[in-house]
Amino acid sequence: MKQTGVSLRYMMEFGSVPTDRNLLLSAQFLQKELPIRIARRALELESLPFGLSAKPAILKVRDWYLDSFRDIRYFPEVRNRDDELAFTQMIKMIKVRHNNVVPTMALGVQQLKNEQFSSRKLPPGFDEIHGFLDRFYMSRIGIRMLIGQHVALHEPEPEPGVIGLINTKLSPIQVAQIASEDARSICMREYGSAPDINIYGDQNLTFPYVTSHLHLMLFELVKNSLRAVQERYMNSDKDVPPVRIIVADGTEDVTIKVSDEGGGIRRSGLPRIFTYLYSTAKNLPDMEGPSEGVTMAGYGFGLPVSRLYARYFGGDLQIISMEGYGTDAYLHLSRLGDSEEPLP
């Protein structure tokens, strides 16, 4: 069965009046739509190349998808407000069940890599796994957006300007400040100190976006920059240069540049930074570890997944590096208010 895309504009208009009738319609739509999306992923998980489907971590993820498929399919048809509230509780639990999908999948891919591909070069045909992971994670972002939006519309007192997960007056500077503090605290924990972060741009700029998505992307980019600078200047007497975040307001995009002087990336390594196997971490967190946020450090999934979050709403992420100096990451965010394109 084909999946049905929903545009952001529709989500915003529909969610701006979360009446009981609208919530009921939304639940009825999800009861049909979610199993279609989940089934596609479960099937793909069973037919991956290089024996990836048989890895314990991948089997674990497949079981989560099968359990969620069953939970929704066996749930009685949603007909009234009580059904809708019970359905909402159930899909909320499904979202929690899938919290660790990214690190668990990463673990499976890492197991495969360690067993089969000890050399730096990836074998022919590995693109197939890369393409699968792109589709898989993009689909996951879509499923979590649909569930998250429906659940958030039940907030009894939403903040002004907030429709479900969408903040119609999101301040990129504010999100950058919070993401920077979070990334610095992790850097402090790992290294005992952290470079400063300077943020530039119009304090009053706001635009519609999903706060949690922007936080995730900026946190990842800032964390990478802090690590590069920290490791470059760790045993140096020189002043540690700050990481700079610049927010620019264009007619089509809001662009955020995260700029560091952490020594850059070799030109030969640049094509690899968006593949799912490019990780610089020494040891990987274990499978049962804490939830998604911080465990993504070091899996080599942070950048490709962040780029998918940007692309989900029609934006993009580009990395430009100057070896021997530093790296600039450009996060292009589409202005969402007018988009009638159906989302993945």
Short mmCIF file of all heavy atoms in Angstrom, two decimals, residues 231-269:
data_model
loop_
_atom_site.label_atom_id
_atom_site.label_comp_id
_atom_site.label_asym_id
_atom_site.label_seq_id
_atom_site.Cartn_x
_atom_site.Cartn_y
_atom_site.Cartn_z
N GLU A 231 40.59 19.15 20.87
CA GLU A 231 41.68 18.20 20.65
C GLU A 231 42.88 18.86 19.98
O GLU A 231 44.02 18.45 20.18
CB GLU A 231 41.16 16.99 19.85
CG GLU A 231 40.17 16.19 20.70
CD GLU A 231 39.78 14.84 20.12
OE1 GLU A 231 40.12 14.55 18.96
OE2 GLU A 231 39.10 14.09 20.84
N ARG A 232 42.63 19.89 19.19
CA ARG A 232 43.75 20.56 18.52
C ARG A 232 44.57 21.42 19.49
O ARG A 232 45.78 21.56 19.36
CB ARG A 232 43.20 21.45 17.40
CG ARG A 232 44.31 22.01 16.52
CD ARG A 232 43.78 22.92 15.44
NE ARG A 232 44.82 23.22 14.46
CZ ARG A 232 44.78 24.26 13.64
NH1 ARG A 232 43.74 25.08 13.66
NH2 ARG A 232 45.75 24.47 12.79
N TYR A 233 43.87 22.01 20.48
CA TYR A 233 44.56 22.97 21.37
C TYR A 233 44.83 22.41 22.77
O TYR A 233 45.25 23.14 23.65
CB TYR A 233 43.74 24.26 21.48
CG TYR A 233 43.85 25.11 20.25
CD1 TYR A 233 43.00 24.90 19.16
CD2 TYR A 233 44.83 26.10 20.13
CE1 TYR A 233 43.11 25.66 18.00
CE2 TYR A 233 44.95 26.86 18.97
CZ TYR A 233 44.09 26.63 17.91
OH TYR A 233 44.20 27.39 16.78
N MET A 234 44.56 21.11 22.94
CA MET A 234 44.63 20.52 24.27
C MET A 234 46.00 20.73 24.93
O MET A 234 46.09 21.11 26.08
CB MET A 234 44.31 19.02 24.19
CG MET A 234 43.62 18.55 25.43
SD MET A 234 42.47 17.21 25.17
CE MET A 234 43.16 16.15 23.96
N ASN A 235 47.07 20.47 24.17
CA ASN A 235 48.40 20.57 24.77
C ASN A 235 49.16 21.78 24.24
O ASN A 235 50.38 21.76 24.11
CB ASN A 235 49.19 19.28 24.48
CG ASN A 235 48.44 18.07 24.97
OD1 ASN A 235 47.93 18.08 26.08
ND2 ASN A 235 48.33 17.03 24.13
N SER A 236 48.41 22.83 23.93
CA SER A 236 49.04 24.00 23.32
C SER A 236 49.00 25.18 24.29
O SER A 236 48.10 25.27 25.13
CB SER A 236 48.28 24.33 22.03
OG SER A 236 48.43 25.67 21.69
N ASP A 237 49.99 26.09 24.16
CA ASP A 237 49.97 27.29 25.03
C ASP A 237 49.16 28.40 24.38
O ASP A 237 48.92 29.45 24.98
CB ASP A 237 51.42 27.82 25.23
CG ASP A 237 52.37 26.69 25.60
OD1 ASP A 237 51.85 25.71 26.15
OD2 ASP A 237 53.59 26.80 25.34
N LYS A 238 48.77 28.21 23.12
CA LYS A 238 48.07 29.28 22.41
C LYS A 238 46.67 29.48 22.98
O LYS A 238 46.09 28.57 23.57
CB LYS A 238 47.96 28.94 20.93
CG LYS A 238 49.29 28.89 20.22
CD LYS A 238 49.08 28.54 18.76
CE LYS A 238 50.42 28.45 18.04
NZ LYS A 238 50.32 27.74 16.77
N ASP A 239 46.11 30.68 22.73
CA ASP A 239 44.72 30.92 23.13
C ASP A 239 43.80 30.03 22.31
O ASP A 239 43.98 29.90 21.09
CB ASP A 239 44.34 32.39 22.86
CG ASP A 239 45.03 33.31 23.85
OD1 ASP A 239 45.51 32.79 24.89
OD2 ASP A 239 45.11 34.53 23.60
N VAL A 240 42.80 29.46 22.97
CA VAL A 240 41.87 28.57 22.26
C VAL A 240 40.84 29.44 21.53
O VAL A 240 40.14 30.24 22.15
CB VAL A 240 41.15 27.63 23.25
CG1 VAL A 240 40.14 26.75 22.52
CG2 VAL A 240 42.16 26.77 23.99
N PRO A 241 40.75 29.31 20.19
CA PRO A 241 39.80 30.16 19.46
C PRO A 241 38.36 29.70 19.72
O PRO A 241 38.10 28.51 19.93
CB PRO A 241 40.16 29.92 17.99
CG PRO A 241 40.82 28.59 17.97
CD PRO A 241 41.47 28.38 19.30
N PRO A 242 37.41 30.65 19.73
CA PRO A 242 36.02 30.26 19.98
C PRO A 242 35.39 29.59 18.75
O PRO A 242 35.90 29.73 17.64
CB PRO A 242 35.32 31.60 20.24
CG PRO A 242 36.13 32.60 19.48
CD PRO A 242 37.55 32.10 19.52
N VAL A 243 34.32 28.85 18.97
CA VAL A 243 33.49 28.37 17.87
C VAL A 243 32.50 29.49 17.59
O VAL A 243 31.97 30.10 18.52
CB VAL A 243 32.75 27.07 18.28
CG1 VAL A 243 31.70 26.69 17.25
CG2 VAL A 243 33.75 25.93 18.47
N ARG A 244 32.28 29.78 16.29
CA ARG A 244 31.35 30.88 15.95
C ARG A 244 30.10 30.33 15.29
O ARG A 244 30.18 29.48 14.41
CB ARG A 244 32.03 31.86 14.98
CG ARG A 244 33.18 32.61 15.60
CD ARG A 244 33.74 33.65 14.63
NE ARG A 244 34.81 34.40 15.25
CZ ARG A 244 36.07 33.99 15.32
NH1 ARG A 244 36.40 32.83 14.79
NH2 ARG A 244 36.98 34.73 15.92
N ILE A 245 28.95 30.84 15.71
CA ILE A 245 27.69 30.48 15.07
C ILE A 245 27.09 31.76 14.50
O ILE A 245 26.91 32.75 15.22
CB ILE A 245 26.70 29.87 16.10
CG1 ILE A 245 27.31 28.61 16.72
CG2 ILE A 245 25.36 29.54 15.44
CD1 ILE A 245 26.44 27.98 17.80
N ILE A 246 26.82 31.75 13.20
CA ILE A 246 26.26 32.94 12.54
C ILE A 246 24.91 32.57 11.96
O ILE A 246 24.79 31.60 11.22
CB ILE A 246 27.21 33.44 11.42
CG1 ILE A 246 28.56 33.85 12.02
CG2 ILE A 246 26.60 34.63 10.68
CD1 ILE A 246 29.73 33.16 11.45
N VAL A 247 23.89 33.35 12.30
CA VAL A 247 22.53 33.09 11.80
C VAL A 247 22.19 34.17 10.78
O VAL A 247 22.27 35.36 11.09
CB VAL A 247 21.50 33.13 12.96
CG1 VAL A 247 20.09 32.91 12.42
CG2 VAL A 247 21.85 32.07 14.01
N ALA A 248 21.85 33.77 9.55
CA ALA A 248 21.52 34.72 8.50
C ALA A 248 20.09 34.51 8.02
O ALA A 248 19.64 33.37 7.88
CB ALA A 248 22.49 34.57 7.33
N ASP A 249 19.42 35.60 7.75
CA ASP A 249 18.02 35.56 7.37
C ASP A 249 17.88 35.87 5.88
O ASP A 249 18.09 37.00 5.46
CB ASP A 249 17.28 36.61 8.22
CG ASP A 249 15.80 36.67 7.91
OD1 ASP A 249 15.28 35.71 7.31
OD2 ASP A 249 15.16 37.68 8.28
N GLY A 250 17.59 34.85 5.07
CA GLY A 250 17.41 35.08 3.63
C GLY A 250 15.93 35.00 3.28
O GLY A 250 15.10 34.66 4.11
N THR A 251 15.60 35.31 2.03
CA THR A 251 14.18 35.24 1.65
C THR A 251 13.71 33.80 1.54
O THR A 251 12.59 33.47 1.88
CB THR A 251 13.92 35.95 0.30
OG1 THR A 251 14.95 35.54 -0.60
CG2 THR A 251 13.96 37.45 0.43
N GLU A 252 14.60 32.91 1.08
CA GLU A 252 14.20 31.51 0.88
C GLU A 252 14.56 30.66 2.09
O GLU A 252 13.77 29.81 2.51
CB GLU A 252 14.92 30.97 -0.35
CG GLU A 252 14.36 29.69 -0.91
CD GLU A 252 15.02 29.33 -2.24
OE1 GLU A 252 14.92 30.11 -3.22
OE2 GLU A 252 15.67 28.27 -2.27
N ASP A 253 15.76 30.86 2.63
CA ASP A 253 16.25 30.04 3.74
C ASP A 253 16.67 30.91 4.91
O ASP A 253 17.05 32.06 4.74
CB ASP A 253 17.53 29.26 3.33
CG ASP A 253 17.26 28.14 2.35
OD1 ASP A 253 16.09 27.74 2.22
OD2 ASP A 253 18.22 27.67 1.72
N VAL A 254 16.63 30.31 6.09
CA VAL A 254 17.41 30.82 7.21
C VAL A 254 18.65 29.92 7.24
O VAL A 254 18.52 28.69 7.23
CB VAL A 254 16.63 30.69 8.53
CG1 VAL A 254 17.53 31.00 9.72
CG2 VAL A 254 15.41 31.62 8.52
N THR A 255 19.83 30.51 7.19
CA THR A 255 21.06 29.70 7.16
C THR A 255 21.84 29.92 8.45
O THR A 255 21.98 31.05 8.92
CB THR A 255 21.93 30.05 5.94
OG1 THR A 255 21.15 29.85 4.76
CG2 THR A 255 23.16 29.15 5.87
N ILE A 256 22.33 28.82 9.01
CA ILE A 256 23.13 28.91 10.23
C ILE A 256 24.50 28.31 9.92
O ILE A 256 24.59 27.18 9.45
CB ILE A 256 22.46 28.15 11.39
CG1 ILE A 256 21.06 28.71 11.65
CG2 ILE A 256 23.32 28.24 12.66
CD1 ILE A 256 20.27 27.97 12.71
N LYS A 257 25.55 29.11 10.16
CA LYS A 257 26.90 28.61 9.92
C LYS A 257 27.57 28.33 11.27
O LYS A 257 27.55 29.17 12.16
CB LYS A 257 27.73 29.64 9.14
CG LYS A 257 29.18 29.18 8.94
CD LYS A 257 29.91 30.00 7.90
CE LYS A 257 30.47 31.28 8.42
NZ LYS A 257 31.50 31.87 7.54
N VAL A 258 28.12 27.13 11.40
CA VAL A 258 28.90 26.79 12.59
C VAL A 258 30.35 26.69 12.13
O VAL A 258 30.69 25.85 11.30
CB VAL A 258 28.43 25.45 13.21
CG1 VAL A 258 29.28 25.10 14.44
CG2 VAL A 258 26.95 25.52 13.60
N SER A 259 31.18 27.57 12.68
CA SER A 259 32.52 27.77 12.14
C SER A 259 33.56 27.51 13.24
O SER A 259 33.43 28.06 14.34
CB SER A 259 32.61 29.22 11.66
OG SER A 259 33.77 29.43 10.95
N ASP A 260 34.55 26.65 12.93
CA ASP A 260 35.56 26.39 13.97
C ASP A 260 36.96 26.47 13.38
O ASP A 260 37.14 26.43 12.16
CB ASP A 260 35.33 25.02 14.62
CG ASP A 260 35.62 23.84 13.70
OD1 ASP A 260 36.77 23.71 13.23
OD2 ASP A 260 34.69 23.05 13.43
N GLU A 261 37.94 26.58 14.28
CA GLU A 261 39.35 26.54 13.89
C GLU A 261 39.99 25.29 14.49
O GLU A 261 41.02 25.35 15.15
CB GLU A 261 40.06 27.81 14.36
CG GLU A 261 39.56 29.06 13.64
CD GLU A 261 40.15 30.35 14.21
OE1 GLU A 261 41.35 30.34 14.57
OE2 GLU A 261 39.40 31.34 14.30
N GLY A 262 39.33 24.15 14.22
CA GLY A 262 39.76 22.89 14.82
C GLY A 262 40.68 22.07 13.92
O GLY A 262 40.85 20.88 14.14
N GLY A 263 41.24 22.73 12.88
CA GLY A 263 42.22 22.01 12.04
C GLY A 263 41.66 21.42 10.76
O GLY A 263 42.39 20.99 9.89
N GLY A 264 40.32 21.38 10.64
CA GLY A 264 39.71 20.94 9.38
C GLY A 264 39.77 19.43 9.16
O GLY A 264 40.24 18.66 10.00
N ILE A 265 39.27 19.04 8.00
CA ILE A 265 39.21 17.63 7.62
C ILE A 265 40.00 17.48 6.32
O ILE A 265 39.91 18.35 5.45
CB ILE A 265 37.73 17.21 7.35
CG1 ILE A 265 36.88 17.48 8.59
CG2 ILE A 265 37.63 15.75 6.93
CD1 ILE A 265 35.39 17.56 8.29
N ARG A 266 40.75 16.39 6.17
CA ARG A 266 41.47 16.17 4.91
C ARG A 266 40.50 16.13 3.75
O ARG A 266 39.40 15.58 3.87
CB ARG A 266 42.18 14.84 4.96
CG ARG A 266 43.38 14.85 5.85
CD ARG A 266 44.05 13.51 5.79
NE ARG A 266 44.90 13.39 6.97
CZ ARG A 266 45.31 12.24 7.47
NH1 ARG A 266 44.93 11.12 6.89
NH2 ARG A 266 46.08 12.21 8.52
N ARG A 267 40.93 16.63 2.62
CA ARG A 267 40.06 16.65 1.43
C ARG A 267 39.66 15.24 1.03
O ARG A 267 38.54 14.99 0.60
CB ARG A 267 40.75 17.38 0.28
CG ARG A 267 39.83 17.82 -0.83
CD ARG A 267 40.43 18.97 -1.59
NE ARG A 267 41.78 18.68 -2.07
CZ ARG A 267 42.07 18.25 -3.29
NH1 ARG A 267 41.11 18.05 -4.17
NH2 ARG A 267 43.31 18.01 -3.65
N SER A 268 40.58 14.28 1.21
CA SER A 268 40.26 12.90 0.83
C SER A 268 39.21 12.30 1.76
O SER A 268 38.49 11.38 1.40
CB SER A 268 41.53 12.04 0.88
OG SER A 268 42.05 12.04 2.20
N GLY A 269 39.11 12.86 2.97
CA GLY A 269 38.13 12.32 3.94
C GLY A 269 36.76 12.95 3.80
O GLY A 269 35.77 12.41 4.30
#
